[in-house]
């Protein structure tokens, strides 16, 4: 896990350095992206549906390279009978940071995130303190005015958890893998 984390951070650093190195005359400035998400993903061997809303700020270093950071709320609802016992783990707040490459109508972005539930109790003797993971998104955008775009994409997430079981702290690789659809409105300032 540590090797994967270091290689992801190294890749992000290289992408950002390439973006910063771009000509200043091509800089595009700031954007804001409100968005909606919906998808499915396995969590502790259960299928978990998820829907969310978020907002991100985007800084364009160059017409092709940018960085996004924001906050997201996600509501999770499960199909398994055990999921109904985990009321607090249904409400999740996430802070993602992503590097993005855009070419004409196509975009791809990736980066890390951290998430936390409003109530961390998983069962009588177990809590899930927080999750960390990575996300990647690919999609397209259509220009609707000089400064506005509508974006449609597919996002993939993988998350691992830090928890406590019977008073012992653990870091679990048995988190979740999710595939999520996303629709966003991008406004350039």
């Amino acid at each position: 896990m540590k090797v994967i984390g270091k290689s992801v951070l190294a890749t992000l650093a290289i992408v950002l350095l390439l973006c910063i190195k771009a000509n200043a005359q091509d800089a595009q400035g700031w954007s804001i992206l409100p968005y909606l998400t919906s998808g499915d993903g396995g969590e502790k061997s259960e299928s978990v549906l998820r829907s969310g809303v978020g907002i991100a700020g985007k800084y364009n270093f160059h017409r092709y390279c940018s960085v996004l950071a924001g906050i997201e709320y996600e509501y999770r609802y499960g199909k398994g009978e055990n999921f109904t016992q985990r009321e607090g783990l249904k409400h999740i707040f996430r802070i993602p940071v992503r590097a993005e490459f855009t070419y004409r109508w196509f975009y791809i972005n990736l980066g890390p995130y951290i998430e936390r539930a409003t109530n961390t109790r998983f069962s009588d003797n177990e809590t899930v303190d927080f999750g960390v993971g990575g996300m990647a998104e690919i999609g397209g955008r259509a220009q609707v005015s000089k400064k506005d775009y509508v974006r449609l994409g597919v996002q993939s997430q993988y998350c691992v958890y830090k928890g406590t079981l019977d008073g012992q702290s653990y870091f679990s690789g048995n988190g979740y893998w999710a595939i999520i659809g996303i629709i966003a409105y991008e406004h350039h300032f």
Side-chain angles (χ1 to χ4, degrees):
M1 180 63 190
K2 290 181 182 179
V3 174
I4 293 172
K6 288 180 183 178
S7 64
V8 169
L9 288 176
T11 302
L12 285 174
I14 290 169
V15 168
L16 288 176
L17 285 174
L18 291 173
C19 291
I20 291 169
K21 192 73 174 156
N23 290 333
Q25 66 187 13
D26 291 333
Q28 301 291 315
W30 290 94
S31 302
I32 189 166
L33 288 92
Y35 57 92
L36 299 171
T37 63
S38 185
D40 191 7
E43 187 169 315
K44 294 223 176 195
S45 72
E46 291 182 356
S47 181
V48 178
L49 301 173
R50 51 193 78 229
S51 295
V53 60
I55 189 161
K58 177 179 172 182
Y59 183 75
N60 300 302
F61 292 103
H62 182 267
R63 67 180 173 195
Y64 300 120
C65 299
S66 54
V67 64
L68 293 92
I71 188 162
E72 193 174 309
Y73 165 78
E74 184 175 84
Y75 178 74
R76 297 180 183 169
Y77 41 103
K79 298 177 183 174
E81 62 186 57
N82 292 334
F83 194 81
T84 58
Q85 301 169 6
R86 301 173 7 201
E87 185 62 37
L89 291 177
K90 292 181 179 181
H91 305 280
I92 307 292
F93 285 93
R94 180 179 299 120
I95 299 174
V97 177
R98 296 170 282 176
E100 181 171 278
F101 172 78
T102 304
Y103 183 72
R104 296 187 184 182
W105 60 270
F106 170 81
Y107 73 89
I108 185 169
N109 63 48
L110 62 112
Y113 65 89
I114 187 166
E115 68 179 25
R116 180 158 170 90
T118 56
N119 176 355
T120 60
R121 181 148 312 278
F122 183 75
S123 65
D124 290 337
N125 60 348
E126 184 178 9
T127 60
V128 176
D129 302 325
F130 66 89
V132 294
M135 61 175 50
E137 183 180 329
I138 187 168
R141 55 189 209 148
Q143 190 168 8
V144 294
S145 72
K146 186 176 179 180
K147 294 185 175 189
D148 300 313
Y149 294 85
V150 172
R151 297 164 55 119
L152 292 171
V154 176
Q155 190 178 89
S156 178
Q157 300 175 352
Y158 182 73
C159 184
V160 294
Y161 294 107
K162 191 272 182 196
T164 306
L165 177 63
D166 294 326
Q168 297 294 318
S169 184
Y170 69 90
F171 199 72
S172 172
N174 296 329
Y176 70 81
W177 185 272
I179 301 295
I180 297 167
I182 186 166
I183 183 168
Y185 186 82
E186 179 178 351
H187 175 73
H188 293 272
F189 292 102

